[in-house]
Amino acid sequence: MSECGPGDCVRVSGQVYLDTLTDWERILGGLARREGDIRMDMTDLSFVDVAGATSLARAAQRLPEGRRIVVRRPPASLTRSLELFWPELVAIEVVE
């Protein structure tokens, strides 16, 4: 994980699966404590399993009303999971 710019977003890379899930959830928890929308650049993230997608969806569901998680260029595995299991979750916005 690295900052994209001065408070703009967080860049994530690698893969999210069983071995990295604890770190992923820790990162999401830290981001949720920040003010405003959470912006994540996932250009260099190659895979997110269903457990990782579930953690992201749960983090979004716990955000106060009006806040959201904006994910830029997520891997296809995450996009498919979000579309399949959380098609109406407005707290997550996928942008290309």
Side-chain angles (χ1 to χ4, degrees):
M1 175 179 88
S2 64
E3 295 291 329
C4 299
D8 291 340
C9 69
V10 173
R11 183 175 295 123
V12 291
S13 61
Q15 298 182 345
V16 178
Y17 61 105
L18 182 61
D19 289 347
T20 60
L21 186 60
T22 301
D23 292 334
W24 176 245
E25 290 176 341
R26 181 182 44 77
I27 290 166
L28 291 173
L31 293 172
R33 289 189 286 278
R34 294 182 179 185
E35 296 293 322
D37 289 344
I38 298 166
R39 299 185 183 283
M40 302 177 80
D41 183 341
M42 297 186 173
T43 302
D44 297 323
L45 190 65
S46 61
F47 175 76
V48 178
D49 70 4
V50 174
T54 299
S55 295
L56 182 67
R58 286 182 181 159
Q61 291 168 336
R62 288 190 297 265
L63 291 175
E65 187 173 334
R67 286 188 64 201
R68 63 197 170 128
I69 299 174
V70 180
V71 294
R72 179 178 176 266
R73 300 191 65 195
S77 57
L78 177 59
T79 303
R80 281 192 303 271
S81 292
L82 292 174
E83 290 172 352
L84 182 62
F85 297 111
W86 300 278
E88 296 182 20
L89 181 58
V90 296
I92 296 179
E93 179 182 347
V94 176
V95 295
E96 294 300 317

